[in-house]
Amino acid sequence: MKVRMQRNTLFRMKVATWNVNGVRPRIPNLCRWLTDHRPSVLCLQELRCPTDKFPQPELQTLGYESFVFGQSRVNGVAILSTEPVQSYNSVPLNSENEKEARLQWIHLKSGIKLVNVYVPSGKEVGSEYYMFKVQFLQKLRKWLDETFDKQEDVILCGDFNVSPTDSDASSEEGKEVI
């Protein structure tokens, strides 16, 4: 990915995103993938791991600094970076009653700001889960508008839980499209 910086210079970096669906059992696969592909930044979603249990030492040996907003249930996000980071922020964007670990961002020393988001699944259109997803996306849009200037270099990535075609979703048994 080539990113044009505000000072008319080009900065080359590789950014990837992965819903890891539980980071601790997948650490061997994650380390192998990082070694093979060497992204500058990797955004992870659905860690299913509290921040203090995140496998930072294994990733650090590969040259990645980890920025983790963990949660032991199905949520949690992390940004792994080989690029120098100026600042890190986690954002509890949900309702006051439920602080789900779904949103974080870093400001790279190069000037780029990178946002990692794990959007809730909406399940069926019209369901309470769907309404929760719609509200989350509205809050995300408002937060983006309030946090970043339209002229800033911002990369937004993550798992948006969008299935535009039937082939993008299947049942747990893998036998029927849902």
Side-chain angles (χ1 to χ4, degrees):
M1 164 183 288
K2 289 182 182 177
V3 179
R4 184 163 304 281
M5 302 301 297
Q6 293 174 355
R7 293 178 292 281
N8 292 327
T9 59
L10 285 179
F11 176 73
R12 184 180 294 271
M13 63 187 280
K14 185 190 294 188
V15 177
T17 185
W18 181 3
N19 179 321
V20 73
N21 193 16
V23 70
R24 289 180 290 179
R26 288 172 182 68
I27 194 67
N29 294 346
L30 176 58
C31 289
R32 187 172 36 258
W33 189 88
L34 287 169
T35 300
D36 291 348
H37 297 280
R38 299 299 304 164
S40 307
V41 177
L42 174 62
C43 295
L44 298 173
Q45 305 84 37
E46 199 171 353
L47 301 178
R48 297 183 183 210
C49 172
T51 302
D52 63 340
K53 302 283 189 208
F54 188 82
Q56 290 188 27
E58 293 92 329
L59 301 168
Q60 193 170 18
T61 62
L62 297 175
Y64 287 90
E65 187 173 4
S66 302
F67 301 90
V68 183
F69 185 21
Q71 188 173 350
S72 59
R73 297 182 306 152
V74 297
N75 301 314
V77 288
I79 300 173
L80 313 179
S81 179
T82 60
E83 298 295 323
V85 173
Q86 182 173 314
S87 62
Y88 163 74
N89 296 280
S90 59
V91 183
L93 193 61
N94 301 96
S95 69
E96 293 75 39
N97 299 334
E98 181 127 9
K99 301 291 186 203
E100 296 181 346
R102 292 184 176 273
L103 181 64
Q104 64 181 164
W105 67 281
I106 58 173
H107 183 183
L108 298 172
K109 287 189 179 176
S110 64
I112 295 171
K113 295 175 181 174
L114 189 137
V115 178
N116 181 23
V117 62
Y118 177 39
V119 175
S121 171
K123 304 206 184 213
E124 289 185 34
V125 174
S127 71
E128 66 182 84
Y129 298 103
Y130 183 78
M131 294 312 301
F132 182 73
K133 179 178 183 172
V134 168
Q135 291 168 354
F136 181 91
L137 289 169
Q138 290 169 342
K139 289 177 187 177
L140 175 63
R141 174 79 258 174
K142 183 176 187 257
W143 176 82
L144 288 166
D145 288 343
E146 292 172 352
T147 304
F148 303 108
D149 185 280
K150 292 190 187 318
Q151 304 305 311
E152 290 182 285
D153 296 316
V154 179
I155 299 170
L156 174 64
C157 59
D159 180 354
F160 293 86
N161 265 311
V162 174
S163 300
T165 67
D166 287 346
S167 65
D168 294 317
S170 65
S171 67
E172 287 184 23
E173 297 82 26
K175 296 179 181 175
E176 64 184 76
V177 175
I178 56 171

